[in-house]
Amino acid sequence: MHIDIITVVPELLASPLSHSIMKRAQDKGILTVQTHNLRQWAVNKYGQVDDYQFGGGAGMVMMCEPLANAIEHLQKERPYDEIIYMTPDGERFKQSTANQLSLKENLLIICGHYKGIDQRIREHFVTKEISIGDYVLSGGELAANVVIDAIGRLLPGVLNDETSALTDSFQDNLLAPPVYTRPAEFRGWKVPEVLLSGNPKTIEEWRYEQSVERTKERRPDILD
Ligand code: 6GU
């Protein structure tokens, strides 16, 4: 998969992509990510990419011209399956969205800043608008990192058996069960006996029950 990102703060995207699983995905050549500074397409020598909003009101709006030029420049390189705009008024990002997007070849992600981007870009270029939750971030970059991580770890070959995505919380509308590691007793706190039983079937059943219990208690809204 290839992901291009248009941003005014490319530095904000760098670190999460440079470590751990996202680094491994790129080292293996399964994922390539390229950030593009929107200021390359600024309307003047001062690097201007935003302007006051028509109708008045506080906050700047990212202008059409730099964005349109950036998008069209990148489109000449490759056809995008989705052009995604990160915005708090987008569709709420879920595991199912990550699953769907992980099947695509080329994605273009636009990170908004200030009051957002001119509506005409949303209407004429953007094919999908994503929010990562009901709160407002200063820009789309952190949200883009969240989305890229969630997608990247699903790409075939990125995770090994130990880190398998199949048993993640949300993958079957259930939260993950509790986990334990050595020692079997710490300060008198014991690991549930069943996990030490060596019986895969009873362990599997216990984990499933725990998942169901946890989901009922914490997230009844996602339960089937
Ligand atoms: Cl995608 N962007 C911004 N700026 N804030 C958000 C968001 C995105 N998702 C939740 N809050």
Side-chain angles (χ1 to χ4, degrees), residues 96-116:
S96 55
T97 328
N99 293 350
Q100 283 162 18
L101 289 174
S102 74
L103 303 172
K104 308 289 188 185
E105 204 60 49
N106 298 304
L107 302 178
L108 174 57
I109 301 180
I110 302 167
C111 299
H113 253 265
Y114 322 111
K115 277 282 162 197

Side-chain angles (χ1 to χ4, degrees), residues 169 175-180 208-220:
S169 280
L175 300 182
V179 293
Y180 300 86
Y208 180 73
E209 283 163 23
Q210 292 286 316
S211 283
V212 172
E213 275 316 300
R214 215 171 233 204
T215 313
K216 273 190 200 158
E217 201 175 289
R218 301 180 179 191
R219 296 297 304 274

Side-chain angles (χ1 to χ4, degrees), residues 86-88 130-133 135-140 143:
M86 302 306 304
T87 176
I130 294 179
S131 159
I132 63 162
Y135 38 80
V136 178
L137 303 169
S138 318

Side-chain angles (χ1 to χ4, degrees), residues 20 63 141:
S20 184
M63 302 167 78
E141 285 78 9

Side-chain angles (χ1 to χ4, degrees), residues 4 11 31 147 168 196 218:
D4 284 306
E11 297 83 0
L31 174 67
V147 166
D168 288 340
L196 311 174
R218 301 180 179 191

Side-chain angles (χ1 to χ4, degrees), residues 8-80:
V8 285
V9 203
E11 297 83 0
L12 269 179
L13 288 146
S15 175
L17 292 165
S18 314
H19 304 281
S20 184
I21 310 240
M22 290 309 104
K23 178 178 193 303
R24 191 198 302 168
Q26 291 172 93
D27 288 348
K28 284 185 167 179
I30 298 166
L31 174 67
T32 50
V33 184
Q34 236 181 316
T35 56
H36 306 273
N37 195 328
L38 184 62
R39 296 205 194 276
Q40 288 175 255
W41 293 277
V43 293
N44 55 33
K45 64 178 179 185
Y46 306 108
Q48 186 182 357
V49 293
D50 59 351
D51 208 337
Y52 297 100
Q53 56 177 317
F54 279 125
M60 306 294 274
V61 175
M62 289 166 70
M63 302 167 78
C64 283
E65 190 185 325
L67 283 166
N69 286 338
I71 295 166
E72 283 168 348
H73 173 91
L74 295 170
Q75 276 177 325
K76 286 195 189 112
E77 307 274 316
R78 50 175 64 76
Y80 292 104

